[in-house]
Short mmCIF file of all heavy atoms in Angstrom, two decimals:
data_model
loop_
_atom_site.label_atom_id
_atom_site.label_comp_id
_atom_site.label_asym_id
_atom_site.label_seq_id
_atom_site.Cartn_x
_atom_site.Cartn_y
_atom_site.Cartn_z
N ARG A 28 -35.26 68.60 122.57
CA ARG A 28 -36.27 69.34 121.81
C ARG A 28 -36.05 70.85 121.99
O ARG A 28 -35.98 71.31 123.12
CB ARG A 28 -37.66 68.98 122.27
CG ARG A 28 -37.94 67.50 122.09
CD ARG A 28 -39.38 67.23 121.79
NE ARG A 28 -39.59 65.79 121.71
CZ ARG A 28 -39.79 65.15 120.58
NH1 ARG A 28 -39.83 65.82 119.47
NH2 ARG A 28 -39.96 63.85 120.56
N PHE A 29 -35.90 71.53 120.89
CA PHE A 29 -35.77 72.98 120.90
C PHE A 29 -37.14 73.58 120.53
O PHE A 29 -37.81 73.08 119.64
CB PHE A 29 -34.78 73.46 119.83
CG PHE A 29 -33.33 73.20 120.17
CD1 PHE A 29 -32.73 71.98 119.89
CD2 PHE A 29 -32.56 74.19 120.74
CE1 PHE A 29 -31.40 71.74 120.18
CE2 PHE A 29 -31.22 73.99 121.03
CZ PHE A 29 -30.65 72.76 120.75
N THR A 30 -37.51 74.66 121.21
CA THR A 30 -38.68 75.43 120.84
C THR A 30 -38.13 76.72 120.20
O THR A 30 -37.40 77.46 120.84
CB THR A 30 -39.54 75.79 122.05
OG1 THR A 30 -39.96 74.56 122.67
CG2 THR A 30 -40.75 76.60 121.65
N GLY A 31 -38.47 76.93 118.95
CA GLY A 31 -37.95 78.07 118.22
C GLY A 31 -36.56 77.79 117.68
O GLY A 31 -36.06 76.66 117.74
N GLY A 32 -35.94 78.79 117.11
CA GLY A 32 -34.62 78.64 116.53
C GLY A 32 -34.71 78.18 115.07
O GLY A 32 -35.79 78.08 114.51
N CYS A 33 -33.59 77.93 114.48
CA CYS A 33 -33.52 77.48 113.08
C CYS A 33 -33.84 75.98 113.05
O CYS A 33 -33.02 75.16 113.48
CB CYS A 33 -32.12 77.72 112.52
SG CYS A 33 -31.62 79.45 112.60
N SER A 34 -34.99 75.66 112.57
CA SER A 34 -35.55 74.31 112.69
C SER A 34 -34.59 73.21 112.21
O SER A 34 -34.36 72.23 112.91
CB SER A 34 -36.86 74.20 111.93
OG SER A 34 -37.41 72.92 112.07
N GLY A 35 -34.04 73.36 111.03
CA GLY A 35 -33.16 72.34 110.48
C GLY A 35 -31.92 72.16 111.34
O GLY A 35 -31.49 71.04 111.61
N ASN A 36 -31.33 73.26 111.75
CA ASN A 36 -30.11 73.19 112.57
C ASN A 36 -30.39 72.59 113.93
O ASN A 36 -29.63 71.74 114.40
CB ASN A 36 -29.49 74.58 112.72
CG ASN A 36 -28.90 75.11 111.43
OD1 ASN A 36 -28.55 74.33 110.56
ND2 ASN A 36 -28.83 76.40 111.32
N THR A 37 -31.46 73.01 114.58
CA THR A 37 -31.73 72.49 115.93
C THR A 37 -32.14 71.03 115.86
O THR A 37 -31.76 70.24 116.75
CB THR A 37 -32.79 73.34 116.66
OG1 THR A 37 -33.98 73.41 115.88
CG2 THR A 37 -32.27 74.73 116.95
N GLN A 38 -32.85 70.63 114.82
CA GLN A 38 -33.18 69.21 114.66
C GLN A 38 -31.92 68.37 114.45
O GLN A 38 -31.80 67.27 114.99
CB GLN A 38 -34.13 69.00 113.49
CG GLN A 38 -35.55 69.46 113.74
CD GLN A 38 -36.43 69.21 112.55
OE1 GLN A 38 -36.61 68.07 112.13
NE2 GLN A 38 -36.96 70.28 111.98
N GLY A 39 -31.00 68.92 113.66
CA GLY A 39 -29.76 68.19 113.40
C GLY A 39 -28.92 68.06 114.66
O GLY A 39 -28.40 66.96 114.95
N VAL A 40 -28.77 69.12 115.42
CA VAL A 40 -28.02 69.07 116.67
C VAL A 40 -28.65 68.08 117.62
O VAL A 40 -27.99 67.24 118.23
CB VAL A 40 -27.92 70.48 117.32
CG1 VAL A 40 -27.41 70.40 118.74
CG2 VAL A 40 -27.04 71.39 116.50
N ALA A 41 -29.98 68.15 117.74
CA ALA A 41 -30.71 67.23 118.63
C ALA A 41 -30.46 65.78 118.22
O ALA A 41 -30.18 64.93 119.09
CB ALA A 41 -32.19 67.57 118.61
N ALA A 42 -30.57 65.47 116.95
CA ALA A 42 -30.38 64.10 116.48
C ALA A 42 -28.97 63.58 116.77
O ALA A 42 -28.79 62.42 117.12
CB ALA A 42 -30.68 64.01 114.97
N LEU A 43 -27.98 64.45 116.63
CA LEU A 43 -26.59 64.03 116.88
C LEU A 43 -26.31 63.79 118.36
O LEU A 43 -25.34 63.09 118.69
CB LEU A 43 -25.64 65.08 116.32
CG LEU A 43 -25.59 65.19 114.81
CD1 LEU A 43 -24.82 66.44 114.37
CD2 LEU A 43 -24.99 63.93 114.20
N CYS A 44 -27.15 64.32 119.23
CA CYS A 44 -26.94 64.16 120.67
C CYS A 44 -27.50 62.85 121.22
O CYS A 44 -27.00 62.33 122.22
CB CYS A 44 -27.59 65.31 121.42
SG CYS A 44 -26.76 66.89 121.17
N ILE A 45 -28.53 62.32 120.58
CA ILE A 45 -29.21 61.14 121.08
C ILE A 45 -28.24 59.95 121.17
O ILE A 45 -27.50 59.66 120.25
CB ILE A 45 -30.40 60.75 120.16
CG1 ILE A 45 -31.35 61.93 119.99
CG2 ILE A 45 -31.13 59.52 120.69
CD1 ILE A 45 -31.93 62.50 121.24
N GLY A 46 -28.28 59.31 122.33
CA GLY A 46 -27.43 58.11 122.55
C GLY A 46 -26.03 58.39 123.04
O GLY A 46 -25.24 57.48 123.23
N ARG A 47 -25.73 59.66 123.29
CA ARG A 47 -24.38 60.03 123.74
C ARG A 47 -24.41 60.56 125.16
O ARG A 47 -25.47 61.01 125.65
CB ARG A 47 -23.79 61.09 122.81
CG ARG A 47 -23.63 60.54 121.39
CD ARG A 47 -23.22 61.58 120.41
NE ARG A 47 -21.79 61.78 120.45
CZ ARG A 47 -21.14 62.61 119.63
NH1 ARG A 47 -21.80 63.30 118.74
NH2 ARG A 47 -19.86 62.73 119.73
N LYS A 48 -23.28 60.53 125.82
CA LYS A 48 -23.17 61.03 127.19
C LYS A 48 -23.06 62.55 127.18
O LYS A 48 -22.34 63.10 126.34
CB LYS A 48 -21.95 60.44 127.87
CG LYS A 48 -22.03 58.95 128.10
CD LYS A 48 -20.78 58.44 128.78
CE LYS A 48 -20.93 56.93 128.98
NZ LYS A 48 -19.78 56.39 129.71
N PRO A 49 -23.72 63.23 128.13
CA PRO A 49 -23.59 64.68 128.20
C PRO A 49 -22.15 65.13 128.31
O PRO A 49 -21.75 66.13 127.71
CB PRO A 49 -24.38 65.04 129.47
CG PRO A 49 -25.40 63.95 129.59
CD PRO A 49 -24.68 62.71 129.10
N GLU A 50 -21.34 64.40 129.06
CA GLU A 50 -19.93 64.76 129.26
C GLU A 50 -19.14 64.75 127.95
O GLU A 50 -18.13 65.43 127.82
CB GLU A 50 -19.26 63.83 130.28
CG GLU A 50 -19.83 63.94 131.66
CD GLU A 50 -21.08 63.05 131.91
OE1 GLU A 50 -21.57 62.40 130.97
OE2 GLU A 50 -21.56 63.04 133.04
N GLU A 51 -19.59 63.97 127.00
CA GLU A 51 -18.97 63.89 125.67
C GLU A 51 -19.43 65.09 124.83
O GLU A 51 -18.65 65.65 124.05
CB GLU A 51 -19.36 62.59 125.00
CG GLU A 51 -18.88 62.42 123.59
CD GLU A 51 -19.43 61.15 122.93
OE1 GLU A 51 -20.18 60.38 123.58
OE2 GLU A 51 -19.10 60.96 121.76
#
Side-chain angles (χ1 to χ4, degrees):
R28 300 212 183 253
F29 286 85
T30 301
C33 303
S34 182
N36 290 336
T37 56
Q38 287 180 62
V40 168
L43 291 169
C44 291
I45 305 303
R47 297 173 83 176
K48 294 180 180 184
E50 296 86 355
E51 175 186 0

